[in-house]
Amino acid sequence: MIPEPGEGYVRLSPRKLLLDPVKAVGQAIVPLVIALVGISRSDTQFWPIIIPLAIIGPLLLGALPWLTTHYRLTATQIQVRSGVLNKTTSTAPLDRVRSVDLEASLMHRILGLQKVQIGTGVDDDRITLDALAAPDAQALRTTLLTRRAVAEQAAGRSDDLVTERSDEPVAPPPPAPAPALPLAQIDWSWLRFAPFSLGRLVLVLGGLGVLSQFADDLPIWNEETATSVWQWLTQFAVAAIALVLSVGALVLWLVVSVAGYVLQWWGFRLVREHGSLHLTSGLVTTRSITVEEAKVRGVEITEPVLMRLVGGAELSTLATGVEDGVTQVLPPCPRDVAVAVGEAVLDRHGPLVEPLVEHGPKARRRAWFRQLRNALDVIVLLAVGWWWFDLTWWWLAAVGVALLVLAAAAGEATYRHLGHALSGDHLVAGGGTFARIRTVLETEGIIGWVVSQSWWQRRIGLADLTATTAAGTERVLVRDVRLDVAVALADRATPGLLSDFVGRAPTPQPARSHARNSA
């Protein structure tokens, strides 16, 4: 049970005594094995002493966090005290609590525990309670978020409250908690989008890379085995081999992507409660993430190139005071669902679907030039390698043509994704190369503007306009826009913040209207 205000410090769940020793043994197993192997090759007379120490030591070290960690709630703060030699006391005012996230690994779930992480919106400084009983963790989360709302309401009323006797404070009654409003929950028909999201491809390639490092050391794999396998494969037609390998790779990718999707998004649910967005998901490791809506400054919808083929998208929020600033709040799902949830978070219809203002033919040339220049750089490096190893130049010509065609496609895609708009009190910026990205940022969240021009941009009158913010990645970029349009856009979004320093540029000519619906 969680402590009531005014009570003394209490410890974490006693079941932490089972959790930390297991973690300590897992962290120490590799150095212990190395040390024991080294000792076994020398004198073994110290084994009766070393082995008990190797077992008991991690167990004792794992038990220290439970013995030395205490926490309590006061009327205005949550306080956590920890440490053996160096005592540390962490405090967080209840009205500064911005997020209360719950997480449970497999060991946590077996023991019925959850880890609580309390964020105050100050960089990455978070208060962590590693092991609370699951009901206590849920109750603490509800208590902290509810008391934060009460503290904020009391602070708001105190400015207007006038009493004749200062020794008789007036405490406003706590508001009744509003019921949770569901915004989205898992629909297993969304599994069809899992193979089209390449985020887990990095894990597969990493696993293959690790396997390749140890393949030569495996007893069943050596040069003779590899030669025999290759001779056996070459007995068949090359086309058949390629087909079998392609089908095998496709099946492996389907298994990995679908399994990863299920593990990450099992039981997914997104609700609005206590003035926050609350996300829960996970099969083996469960997550419970809270993002205070007052700190959400915008959203970002991403449509990877393969996912666009099947009408899918991903949605993230841009917030201040949370880790990384960008929180993915939806799994890969239908674009209509992502747009609907994004509009619910923004509490505004339109920014995610309205047409964007095009940046014109000069921006298209810039996009093409940038991609073709990158392709030419690669071709030059390949040509040097081809000359050094004296290879056939026909292959280089074929690779060069393929790279130029790919660069041209990338340049055109980059331009088609460019665009901007000012939708009410939201700045909308389009971008991305193969993935189409639309970022929506509240103008109230803009704290500054940066107008930058390269030498080539100055020659053709274009500029990059960057809105700086404390949310998300701390910048929203409008690339390759006319300088006069950039200044006018910044002036309309935040009147007087930029134009007084840059100088008001001529009003854009209304003769040609560039608009494109990227929905």
Side-chain angles (χ1 to χ4, degrees):
M1 55 185 298
I2 63 174
E4 292 295 331
E7 292 184 2
Y9 282 96
V10 298
R11 284 196 175 101
L12 304 179
S13 172
R15 280 170 280 181
K16 184 176 174 63
L17 289 171
L18 300 176
L19 176 67
D20 283 339
V22 173
K23 292 168 58 178
V25 170
Q27 294 170 355
I29 189 68
V30 174
L32 283 176
V33 170
I34 295 175
L36 291 176
V37 170
I39 294 173
S40 65
R41 295 182 179 180
S42 59
D43 193 356
T44 60
Q45 63 178 339
F46 298 106
W47 274 62
I49 300 175
I50 293 176
I51 290 180
L53 289 178
I55 297 175
I56 298 174
L59 296 179
L60 292 178
L61 291 176
L64 284 179
W66 180 81
L67 295 172
T68 59
T69 302
H70 307 76
Y71 75 101
R72 71 174 180 178
L73 283 176
T74 69
T76 58
Q77 292 181 337
I78 178 172
Q79 301 174 352
V80 179
R81 189 173 62 188
S82 61
V84 181
L85 300 178
N86 297 323
K87 294 290 186 178
T88 301
T89 301
S90 302
T91 63
L94 297 184
D95 59 346
R96 295 295 183 183
V97 173
R98 295 294 175 251
S99 63
V100 183
D101 299 342
L102 307 181
E103 183 178 334
S105 65
L106 182 60
M107 278 299 301
H108 281 83
R109 298 182 65 186
I110 291 175
L111 297 174
L113 302 175
Q114 285 186 331
K115 179 168 69 174
V116 181
Q117 294 179 310
I118 304 167
T120 59
V122 180
D123 297 327
D124 295 331
D125 189 15
R126 312 182 82 183
I127 294 177
T128 300
L129 300 174
D130 185 58
L132 290 182
D136 292 344
Q138 295 287 346
L140 178 62
R141 175 185 171 275
T142 302
T143 299
L144 290 177
L145 294 179
T146 302
R147 289 182 182 171
R148 179 199 68 191
V150 173
E152 290 176 347
Q153 184 180 17
R157 290 186 179 183
S158 62
D159 295 336
D160 301 328
L161 185 63
V162 178
T163 58
E164 294 182 358
R165 296 181 58 186
S166 59
D167 57 343
E168 295 181 2
V170 178
L181 176 64
L183 298 180
Q185 61 183 11
I186 191 64
D187 183 344
W188 290 115
S189 65
W190 298 351
L191 273 177
R192 66 184 185 274
F193 298 105
F196 298 94
S197 178
L198 301 181
R200 292 179 180 85
L201 186 60
V202 177
L203 299 178
V204 176
L205 296 178
L208 293 177
V210 172
L211 180 62
S212 66
Q213 297 294 324
F214 298 97
D216 294 337
D217 299 329
L218 296 177
I220 63 172
W221 186 262
N222 49 47
E223 183 177 356
E224 183 180 354
T225 304
T227 303
S228 301
V229 171
W230 176 251
Q231 291 176 349
W232 179 78
L233 288 175
T234 52
Q235 296 177 3
F236 304 94
V238 177
I241 297 174
L243 179 61
V244 171
L245 292 178
S246 300
V247 172
L250 179 60
V251 172
L252 176 63
W253 172 244
L254 288 175
V255 172
V256 170
S257 59
V258 171
Y261 191 102
V262 172
L263 290 174
Q264 181 178 358
W265 298 107
W266 180 275
F268 164 76
R269 192 166 182 260
L270 178 66
V271 300
R272 173 183 280 136
E273 61 177 348
H274 306 303
S276 301
L277 300 176
H278 182 216
L279 180 152
T280 55
S281 68
L283 180 59
V284 177
T285 298
T286 60
R287 301 178 303 149
S288 178
I289 299 175
T290 303
V291 181
E292 185 186 9
E293 285 196 279
K295 297 298 181 180
V296 175
R297 293 301 186 184
V299 299
E300 185 173 88
I301 186 169
T302 303
E303 301 170 74
V305 59
L306 293 181
M307 202 176 297
R308 280 208 312 274
L309 299 177
V310 291
E314 299 172 353
L315 183 73
S316 301
T317 59
L318 311 179
T320 60
V322 298
E323 190 174 2
D324 297 329
V326 179
T327 303
Q328 185 177 354
V329 294
L330 279 181
C333 64
R335 186 179 186 277
D336 293 342
V337 174
V339 169
V341 174
E343 291 179 344
V345 172
L346 295 173
D347 197 19
R348 182 179 179 84
H349 176 74
L352 293 173
V353 295
E354 290 177 350
L356 299 181
V357 178
E358 294 185 4
H359 290 184
K362 294 181 180 179
R364 173 181 268 123
R365 289 199 298 270
R366 282 276 300 166
W368 276 65
F369 174 76
R370 188 182 298 110
Q371 299 297 334
L372 290 174
R373 182 188 60 192
N374 295 336
L376 290 174
D377 291 341
V378 175
I379 292 174
V380 169
L381 293 176
L382 290 177
V384 173
W386 243 260
W387 173 79
W388 182 265
F389 294 104
D390 194 20
L391 301 176
T392 304
W393 290 96
W394 287 107
W395 282 104
L396 177 61
V399 172
V401 171
L403 287 176
L404 291 175
V405 171
L406 181 63
E412 182 62 22
T414 300
Y415 171 72
R416 289 181 177 274
H417 298 159
L418 281 180
H420 69 272
L422 189 61
S423 178
D425 56 352
H426 289 82
L427 172 68
V428 186
T433 302
F434 290 110
R436 182 166 59 195
I437 302 172
R438 178 177 286 209
T439 305
V440 182
L441 177 67
E442 290 181 355
T443 55
E444 291 184 356
I446 298 174
I447 58 179
W449 295 95
V450 177
V451 179
S452 59
Q453 288 181 291
S454 66
W455 185 84
W456 289 104
Q457 285 178 317
R458 290 200 304 271
R459 297 274 295 178
I460 58 179
L462 297 182
D464 289 343
L465 177 66
T466 303
T468 59
T469 177
T473 57
E474 300 182 351
R475 61 194 296 266
V476 174
L477 175 63
V478 181
R479 184 186 294 276
D480 289 334
V481 64
R482 279 171 31 206
L483 179 59
D484 57 341
V485 175
V487 176
L489 174 64
D491 190 52
R492 285 189 294 128
T494 56
L497 187 59
L498 177 66
S499 58
D500 292 343
F501 298 94
V502 178
R504 185 177 298 278
T507 303
Q509 296 296 327
R512 298 179 62 187
S513 175
H514 299 285
R516 174 177 61 249
N517 190 343
S518 64

